[in-house]
Amino acid sequence: MRREDLDQNDLSNRSGVFYQDVLSGLREPMKRLPSKYFYDAAGDLLFQKIMRCPEYYLTRCEEEIFRDKAGELLEHLLQANRQVDLIELGAGDASKTQHLIGEMLQQQIHFTYRPIDISPHVLEQLGDRMRTAFPTIDLQAFQGDYFDGLADMATTGALPKVVLFLGANLGNMTRQQAAQFCVRLRSLLHTGDRVLLGIDLMKNPRIIQAAYADEAGLTWQFNMNLLRRMNKELGADFNEELFEHYCQYDPVSGTCSSYLVSLLDHVVHFPDEQVLFEKDELIHMEVSQKYRFEETQALARASGFMPVHAVADKRNWFVDVIWEA
Ligand code: AVI
């Protein structure tokens, strides 16, 4: 798009949070872009492809847990409750949750399924899929921020809550952010409510490294898509040929970090700002934090939860932990 073609909509984009977040990240000495902006329509599609690619084991591991152990998960999520609010943060396509919901219906548990997601498009598709699979389901979606959704549900719902946060989404926060997230989550729950978190475990570093540098280049495209998104929505002129994707997993800290590396000295223009890149300069794009199982238990306790149960896949690569508030 030519910059003079920017319309009114683009002008309002430039005063929006996306633009502000992007520019404040690119003004920092170590440039960074928030990975939450990966997920526009093209990013959602790329992520779906990543989840099916041979190297990206995380989704298959968690699917195995939900497919094979839904009954066990449910037993520890419900305790004696026969009636709950089932809340899912960042529900996506809920392919794993469907196993749990199937089990709940079979056991004649009364529940309202309350997915929370920032994307109206995702919620619409999810609603259609769930109502087709489970015509009797009571589904009440909340479109917006997780904590706004939880706060809303805290005032409206009186039932015990079961909160799902699957897919290793906690891993896209630094350890410090994850700790703050868990404290905030706890503050919105009542004693006895339960949460289930999907967490990717530390393992052979080559397996992790490969999951974020797949042969087909999907993760590369997933990162580049954010450059395309900034060009389209913010009128920037990133040339993706001038960047390459690089990811590094540190097996000591468990942190997998994704970067874009500038291949030349060059300048990227936004309509009212320019950003200088030096050859070999990095943009930090994403963190995917891996944990030792004991660290998840320490995280639970430090944020006011009690770890009550955990189910791992057969290879012990991924764990769904259940904590009580
Ligand atoms: C969504 N999230 C848990 C993914 C992950 O594994 O960190 C995002 C992702 N990034 C590259 N591949 C997948």
Side-chain angles (χ1 to χ4, degrees):
M1 183 200 286
R2 290 189 341 216
R3 295 208 286 137
E4 48 276 35
D5 291 338
L6 287 168
D7 60 14
Q8 216 34 54
N9 186 31
D10 298 302
L11 288 174
S12 65
N13 281 344
R14 281 158 51 209
S15 57
V17 194
F18 177 31
Y19 188 59
Q20 301 307 324
D21 283 352
V22 158
L23 280 185
S24 71
L26 293 177
R27 283 181 196 131
E28 284 186 21
M30 166 76 230
K31 294 183 172 63
R32 59 170 184 86
L33 288 168
S35 62
K36 66 178 176 186
Y37 292 118
F38 283 177
Y39 301 90
D40 64 348
D44 284 345
L45 259 176
L46 281 162
F47 185 52
Q48 280 166 20
K49 289 185 182 169
I50 289 174
M51 288 192 288
R52 289 195 297 269
C53 84
E55 297 92 339
Y56 195 77
Y57 58 86
L58 291 81
T59 309
R60 283 185 295 279
C61 289
E62 198 172 36
E63 260 162 15
E64 177 198 309
I65 295 171
F66 273 72
R67 191 191 58 229
D68 297 351
K69 303 276 177 64
E72 183 178 340
L73 293 173
L74 200 56
E75 186 190 329
H76 293 274
L77 285 171
L78 292 181
Q79 313 152 78
N81 294 313
R82 306 281 308 160
Q83 215 175 349
V84 291
D85 266 336
L86 179 67
I87 300 167
E88 182 159 15
L89 310 181
D93 69 0
S95 58
K96 298 157 226 162
T97 313
Q98 287 201 23
H99 295 285
L100 200 67
I101 288 182
E103 186 74 28
M104 290 173 87
L105 291 173
Q106 215 179 342
Q107 293 189 22
Q108 299 186 336
I109 306 296
H110 295 276
F111 66 97
T112 302
Y113 176 50
R114 301 179 183 275
I116 305 177
D117 206 289
I118 199 78
S119 157
H121 175 68
V122 163
L123 287 175
E124 208 175 298
Q125 286 194 329
L126 172 68
D128 291 346
R129 203 169 313 112
M130 284 303 205
R131 287 191 186 96
T132 307
F134 308 108
T136 59
I137 195 168
D138 176 13
L139 187 152
Q140 290 178 31
F142 181 94
Q143 189 257 313
D145 175 84
Y146 297 155
F147 292 117
D148 291 345
L150 273 168
D152 182 68
M153 288 166 198
T155 53
T156 53
L159 293 175
K161 292 184 191 55
V162 167
V163 180
L164 309 177
F165 191 42
L166 308 183
N169 282 317
L170 193 76
N172 295 132
M173 302 174 202
T174 62
R175 283 176 186 277
Q176 196 189 2
Q177 289 165 342
Q180 287 163 354
F181 176 91
C182 292
V183 167
R184 195 150 171 222
L185 178 59
R186 173 65 189 87
S187 74
L188 290 164
L189 298 176
H190 291 117
T191 305
D193 290 342
R194 293 203 164 186
V195 302
L196 182 154
L197 302 170
I199 296 181
D200 195 20
L201 294 171
M202 289 190 190
K203 59 186 71 62
N204 186 311
R206 286 186 201 283
I207 295 168
I208 295 175
Q209 180 84 34
Y212 294 90
D214 62 284
E215 279 286 313
L218 292 165
T219 313
W220 181 302
Q221 288 302 320
F222 188 50
N223 280 260
M224 289 299 172
N225 182 58
L226 183 47
L227 303 188
R228 286 177 218 138
R229 183 173 180 191
M230 289 186 288
N231 288 352
K232 208 164 31 183
E233 293 182 30
L234 305 177
D237 64 356
F238 280 96
N239 176 353
E240 59 188 273
E241 303 290 314
L242 299 185
F243 290 92
E244 67 181 12
H245 174 246
Y246 175 77
C247 117
Q248 195 220 12
Y249 174 62
D250 172 9
V252 178
S253 65
T255 309
C256 185
S257 305
S258 273
Y259 302 93
L260 290 181
V261 186
S262 168
L263 298 175
L264 290 179
D265 287 346
H266 72 290
V267 182
V268 171
H269 303 90
F270 286 80
D272 43 23
E273 176 123 2
Q274 48 182 32
V275 183
L276 270 54
F277 286 90
E278 287 176 16
K279 182 175 180 304
D280 301 328
E281 189 175 352
L282 305 172
I283 315 177
H284 182 275
M285 302 294 283
E286 187 181 41
V287 55
S288 297
Q289 182 64 45
K290 312 303 169 190
Y291 288 89
R292 285 190 198 84
F293 178 64
E294 313 77 70
E295 290 175 327
T296 71
Q297 295 182 304
L299 179 60
R301 293 197 180 94
S303 41
F305 287 99
M306 192 169 56
V308 290
H309 196 65
V311 183
D313 65 301
K314 286 192 202 85
R315 291 179 293 194
N316 237 342
W317 284 5
F318 194 97
V319 69
D320 281 297
V321 296
I322 298 176
W323 299 346
E324 181 171 310

